[in-house]
């Protein structure tokens, strides 16, 4: 199942607080590109009754069932790839 690292969870919670969306779930979406790579999307949302709902590291997550095959083995992390430029990244064995 999809996981969130402690570092990413801290940043998601901070973003929700800063954006006035505390209490809303993190919505994830993914789309496979023609070259096989995956395009990831995320934002805050209330969710619908058709959504898959779960929690990781204290972050409530929702996603439409059709995204589960692309996101099931993925992990959301928050890292500094370039000095001074932290960012969210998706680590996914399904993404070439």
């Amino acid at each position: 199942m999809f996981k969130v690292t402690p570092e990413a969870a801290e940043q998601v919670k901070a973003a929700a607080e800063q954006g006035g969306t505390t209490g809303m779930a993190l919505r994830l979406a993914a789309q496979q590109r023609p070259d096989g790579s995956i395009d990831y999307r995320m934002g805050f949302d209330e969710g619908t009754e058709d959504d898959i709902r779960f929690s990781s590291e204290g972050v409530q997550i929702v996603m439409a069932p059709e995204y589960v095959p692309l996101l099931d083995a993925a992990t959301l992390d928050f890292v500094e790839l370039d000095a001074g430029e932290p960012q969210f990244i998706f680590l996914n064995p399904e993404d070439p």
Side-chain angles (χ1 to χ4, degrees):
M1 184 50 91
F2 185 86
K3 296 177 187 167
V4 177
T5 66
E7 295 79 12
E10 184 179 319
Q11 290 302 312
V12 167
K13 292 172 187 174
E17 187 174 316
Q18 185 177 32
T21 55
T22 301
M24 295 179 85
L26 179 66
R27 174 168 293 283
L28 300 174
Q31 183 175 21
Q32 197 148 31
R33 296 179 179 145
D35 67 359
S37 65
I38 300 174
D39 182 35
Y40 301 94
R41 306 286 169 115
M42 62 182 186
F44 294 102
D45 189 17
E46 296 288 340
T48 69
E49 61 184 58
D50 295 331
D51 284 329
I52 305 296
R53 295 175 174 269
F54 58 96
S55 177
S56 178
E57 292 293 328
V59 175
Q60 295 298 314
I61 299 168
V62 295
M63 70 175 78
E66 63 263 25
Y67 301 128
V68 171
L70 291 175
L71 294 170
D72 190 46
T75 299
L76 177 65
D77 200 358
F78 189 77
V79 298
E80 191 171 314
L81 295 175
D82 295 319
E85 295 183 32
Q87 61 185 329
F88 287 104
I89 62 168
F90 287 83
L91 305 168
N92 189 343
E94 301 298 322
D95 192 348

